[in-house]
Amino acid sequence: MQRFANPGQFLRLAAVVQPWAAGVGAVATAVGLYFALFLSPADYQQGDTVRIMYVHVPAAWMALSIYLGLAVAAALSLVWKHPLADVAARAMAPIGAAFTALCLITGSLWGQPMWGTWWVWDARLTSVLVLFFLYLGHIALANAFDDADRGARAAAVLALVGVVNLPIIKFSVDWWNTLHQPASVMRLGGPTIHGAMLAPLLLMWAAYMGYFVVVLITRMRTELAERRLRALQLNAEQATRMTASAVEAG
Amino acid sequence: MADFLAMGGYAAFVWSAYGVTALVLAGLGLATVLSARRARAALHEAEQQIQGRRRTSRAQARAQR
């Protein structure tokens, strides 16, 4: 673990991983869209609106798993003071927020034709909305302090507290009455969804994952560059101050 | 083709869902690339300034000798 604490090591690894993630993501996007829009059948009840599932469900998976990643990074940064953990957390939050927003919007676009409403305040929809606000809260807190370390600590605490929301989202469809359908892929006893619909789901998930890795690495590199710039500026300020006092003294 | 675009009468919902997905992901991607470029340029400039300052202070030291 500590091996990747070194930014140099991370940057070298990132340079190798990024083009592969971009390639896999691009291929999965092309093949996934072909499956989702052409090859997969219309649902016998939902007609062609079922195709919304292929952008909606993987977005929900991303929203949840990125939050899990955010929480792990928060723990690493709070407990072990891992120097890259905060960089990763700051880079992850906006991507997670984007996928959560997509999950909510595409869900709404699916809900209107199938349930007859854009939105209901039931457990599943509300807990995902809370997830979205947790992401926004993390972004706001991380940038709310002049001292970046204090911001990181406050945001990490929020990320860890918010973990209780994850099982609530996952099991909300079993615990409470809801318009939302129960799990059909990640459930005990295996998926109940047909292969013709599972394939585009998994392909679109791979596409989102490729996108996530590429954007995450770019954002982490940006954050590292910004930190190096701040350190240089601090050094330069100190040097000027020392020269000034030397001139005064001389 | 018209059949495909009609999406069984649900064109507005299906295409909006795919469109908003493309839009949000492209937007975040663009913002990411732009801020990466900005950060790299700022860092490059700062590094050159520091090198330049080192060079001038070394030159001044030499001139004083």
Side-chain angles (χ1 to χ4, degrees), chain A residues 83-100:
Chain A
L84 270 177
D86 175 41
V87 174
R90 273 171 205 265
M92 267 188 260
I95 317 175
F99 277 114
T100 313

Side-chain angles (χ1 to χ4, degrees), chain B:
Chain B
M1 190 65 194
D3 243 19
F4 169 68
L5 287 177
M7 279 289 155
Y10 294 114
F13 299 103
V14 176
W15 292 120
S16 302
Y18 279 78
V20 80
T21 302
L23 215 66
V24 167
L25 293 185
L28 180 66
L30 188 68
T32 300
V33 168
L34 289 181
S35 69
R37 262 194 218 159
R38 219 178 307 128
R40 231 181 300 144
L43 181 62
H44 185 70
E45 198 183 328
E47 278 172 339
Q48 294 233 301
Q49 260 179 11
I50 287 167
Q51 274 182 350
R53 221 177 293 143
R54 264 189 217 139
R55 229 169 279 141
T56 38
S57 63
R58 241 178 277 145
Q60 280 169 350
R62 240 175 283 141
Q64 279 174 359
R65 255 185 270 148

Side-chain angles (χ1 to χ4, degrees), chain A residues 10-11 14-15 18 216-225:
Chain A
F10 162 75
L11 289 172
Q18 202 172 29
L216 174 71
I217 288 177
T218 307
R219 295 191 81 92
M220 284 179 74
R221 284 158 101 161
T222 304
E223 180 72 26
L224 286 171

Side-chain angles (χ1 to χ4, degrees), chain A residues 133-184:
Chain A
F133 288 134
L134 282 170
Y135 276 123
L136 293 190
H138 186 279
I139 297 168
L141 264 185
N143 297 305
F145 297 88
D146 288 330
D147 177 6
D149 283 342
R150 281 185 63 195
R153 237 171 299 145
V157 171
L158 176 75
L160 286 178
V161 171
V163 169
V164 292
N165 194 34
L166 294 185
I168 295 179
I169 294 175
K170 168 76 186 150
F171 296 110
S172 55
V173 282
D174 305 324
W175 292 343
W176 292 286
N177 263 324
T178 173
L179 289 177
H180 198 285
Q181 65 184 66
S184 53

Side-chain angles (χ1 to χ4, degrees), chain A residues 11-86:
Chain A
L11 289 172
R12 270 192 300 279
L13 182 73
V16 177
V17 170
Q18 202 172 29
W20 282 98
V24 170
V27 172
T29 305
V31 181
L33 284 176
Y34 182 62
F35 268 76
L37 294 171
F38 293 95
L39 286 189
S40 68
D43 187 76
Y44 82 105
Q45 280 180 327
Q46 307 197 26
D48 279 308
T49 60
V50 76
R51 300 186 196 284
I52 296 175
M53 175 170 70
Y54 306 126
V55 285
H56 170 74
V57 171
W61 291 345
M62 294 305 292
L64 293 179
S65 48
I66 293 174
Y67 196 88
L68 206 58
L70 187 70
V72 170
L76 285 174
S77 125
L78 267 186
V79 182
W80 289 282
K81 306 260 179 272
H82 191 292
L84 270 177
D86 175 41

